[in-house]
């Protein structure tokens, strides 16, 4: 590996240490309901986002809180020598995409049937550090 290529690889590796992500696939909540909760914490600091999710009455907030804790733990595993308080972690990106649908039939009047779509979603949380000071 050339010296310039090595420097670039080290720079990319250093940038990736600043961010961490966690994914939740096939969560049995409709994407529309999950996006309502995701919009509350997008761009917030990690501690404030956890407090918002903890005191939210929506059922989707419990799952997002667990996912955010997982993303913080992933960041901490990448940066073992840094402290969370000094890093100033924030929710950099949160995406809610539609997942697979379970299609069910519900009996309707006069011999008909209505289709019930039980939706699921995929959530991706990316957290980043504003100041990456090593403690």
């Amino acid at each position: 590996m050339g010296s310039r290529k090595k420097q670039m690889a080290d720079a990319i590796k250093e940038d990736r240490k600043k961010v961490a992500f966690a994914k939740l696939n096939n969560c049995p909540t409709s994407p529309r309901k999950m996006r309502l909760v995701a919009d509350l914490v997008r761009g917030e600091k990690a501690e404030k986002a956890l407090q918002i999710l903890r005191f939210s009455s929506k059922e989707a907030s419990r799952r997002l809180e667990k996912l955010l804790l997982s993303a913080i733990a992933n960041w901490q595993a990448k940066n073992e020598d840094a402290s969370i308080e000094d890093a100033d972690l924030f929710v950099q990106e949160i995406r809610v995409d539609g997942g697979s649908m379970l299609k069910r039939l519900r009996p309707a009047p006069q011999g008909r049937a209505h289709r019930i779509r039980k939706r699921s979603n995929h959530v991706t949380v990316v957290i980043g550090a504003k100041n990456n000071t090593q403690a």
Side-chain angles (χ1 to χ4, degrees), residues 19-22 68 71 90-95 124-128:
V19 296
F21 71 96
L68 186 59
F90 70 106
V91 179
Q92 187 172 330
E93 182 182 351
I94 183 164
R95 264 193 327 268
T124 306
V125 174
V126 179
I127 59 169

Side-chain angles (χ1 to χ4, degrees), residues 5 7 13 17 26 40 70 72 78 80 92 125 132-133:
K5 196 172 184 181
Q7 289 172 351
K13 191 174 182 182
K17 279 185 105 174
N26 296 319
L40 293 174
S70 176
I72 291 170
K78 274 186 176 180
E80 293 172 351
Q92 187 172 330
V125 174
N132 199 19
T133 53

Side-chain angles (χ1 to χ4, degrees), residues 37 40 51-62:
V37 180
L40 293 174
Q51 295 302 319
I52 290 170
L53 292 173
R54 185 162 295 136
F55 293 109
S56 174
S57 62
K58 298 208 173 276
E59 189 254 341
S61 67
R62 306 289 169 256

Side-chain angles (χ1 to χ4, degrees), residues 107-120:
Q110 297 179 351
R112 294 192 199 97
H114 291 152
R115 181 172 284 164
I116 302 295
R117 294 185 300 269
K118 297 189 174 194
R119 300 172 189 270
S120 67

Side-chain angles (χ1 to χ4, degrees), residues 13-26:
K13 191 174 182 182
E14 198 60 39
D15 285 343
R16 285 191 180 157
K17 279 185 105 174
K18 293 180 184 177
V19 296
F21 71 96
K23 289 176 79 172
L24 174 63
N25 286 332
N26 296 319

Side-chain angles (χ1 to χ4, degrees), residues 26 48 63 101 119 123:
N26 296 319
K48 186 176 179 186
R63 294 189 170 122
M101 271 188 272
R119 300 172 189 270
V123 187

Side-chain angles (χ1 to χ4, degrees), residues 30-46:
S30 74
R32 190 173 180 179
K33 290 177 183 175
M34 188 64 87
R35 280 187 197 111
L36 287 173
V37 180
D39 290 341
L40 293 174
V41 297
R42 186 174 285 121
E44 296 286 345
K45 289 187 175 182

